[in-house]
Amino acid sequence: MFQGLRQGNIIYVIDKGNLTLTLAEVEKVSNPYTLLQKQQGNKMQMLPAYMQPPGQEQFVDVVAKSADHVLNLEELPANQSYCVKNNLFVCDNTEMTNTEIDNSERASKVIIDSVPYHEKAIKSYKEMKLLINPQFAKEKEQEEKITELQGKMEGIETTLGNMMTMLSDALGHNNPTLKKLKED
C-alpha cells in the first residue's frame, strides 16, 4: 500500500502515453489525508480511520527520484498498491507491475488482431451509405472522376514536357548533329 512506502523503497511508474517504465526510489511519503483536509489546508485534525465519515478515502503524496528526474506523485490512494492517474500506472510492487504490462500487451494484440475486421467494416459501411443515400453516391462518383481527371492531367503535363524537350532538341538548342551541320 502506498501509505506503507518508506524512504528507499522502489516504485514502478508506467507512462502509458510514452510507453516507458520508470523505477524510482522513494524519498518522501506524506501522512495520509482526505481530500477535504487538503482543501482546507490540513487545518482539520486527523481523525482515526474508524471515525472517518463514509466516502472519505485517504491519500498520500509521494516524492520519488529516478535516474533522470524527480517524480511528485500526488493523491495516491493510501490503502492501495497501484493506481492509474494522468495516464501513469503507479505501483509499489513488481508482481502487479508485471500483470499490468501483460494486460496492456494483451490488449494491444487484440487491437492489432481486429484491424482486418475493422478495415472490412469501414468498406462495408461506405457501401451501405451509397445504397441508402443517393447524394452521398453522387459525391463519391464526383470525387472518383476528379481523381481520375487529376491523374490524366498529370500524364498530359508529363507528355507536354517531354514534347517541349524533344522540340527544343530538334530545333538545335541541344542537338550536336544540327550544330555540326551549321558549322559546315
Side-chain angles (χ1 to χ4, degrees), residues 158-175 178:
T158 302
T159 303
L160 188 57
N162 290 340
M163 290 174 64
M164 295 284 285
T165 302
M166 289 190 300
L167 183 59
S168 176
D169 289 346
L171 291 175
H173 294 266
N174 293 320
N175 191 331
L178 287 178

Side-chain angles (χ1 to χ4, degrees), residues 82-184:
Y82 73 94
C83 72
V84 177
K85 188 171 184 148
N86 300 326
N87 219 20
L88 298 177
F89 172 84
V90 182
C91 188
D92 67 359
N93 65 74
T94 57
E95 294 82 18
M96 286 185 174
T97 303
N98 277 325
T99 300
E100 179 63 21
I101 292 168
D102 289 342
N103 290 342
S104 296
E105 181 181 22
R106 202 171 8 266
S108 292
K109 285 179 181 178
V110 166
I111 291 169
I112 288 171
D113 291 345
S114 72
V115 167
Y117 166 80
H118 289 288
E119 287 174 339
K120 182 180 174 185
I122 290 170
K123 183 178 178 184
S124 295
Y125 296 143
K126 286 182 181 179
E127 290 171 1
M128 289 177 203
K129 284 182 184 178
L130 293 175
L131 288 173
I132 62 171
N133 189 347
Q135 182 62 30
F136 184 75
K138 287 179 185 177
E139 290 173 5
K140 179 80 172 160
E141 186 180 334
Q142 287 176 342
E143 287 176 19
E144 289 172 358
K145 284 182 181 178
I146 290 170
T147 302
E148 182 183 340
L149 287 172
Q150 286 174 335
K152 287 181 180 179
M153 286 298 295
E154 289 172 3
I156 291 171
E157 288 173 352
T158 302
T159 303
L160 188 57
N162 290 340
M163 290 174 64
M164 295 284 285
T165 302
M166 289 190 300
L167 183 59
S168 176
D169 289 346
L171 291 175
H173 294 266
N174 293 320
N175 191 331
T177 307
L178 287 178
K179 286 183 182 178
K180 189 173 183 182
L181 288 174
K182 285 183 184 177
E183 292 174 3
D184 292 339

Side-chain angles (χ1 to χ4, degrees), residues 2 4-11 23-31 61-73 76:
F2 291 122
L5 289 172
R6 299 293 173 251
Q7 187 174 5
N9 289 143
I10 300 295
I11 59 169
L23 279 65
E25 186 176 335
V26 174
E27 291 189 338
K28 182 179 162 188
V29 180
S30 72
N31 289 326
D61 297 337
V62 175
V63 177
K65 186 174 183 179
S66 71
D68 55 351
H69 62 284
V70 174
L71 301 169
N72 290 310
L73 304 166
L76 301 179

Side-chain angles (χ1 to χ4, degrees), residues 15 33 45 122 177:
D15 184 329
Y33 61 86
Q45 184 177 5
I122 290 170
T177 307

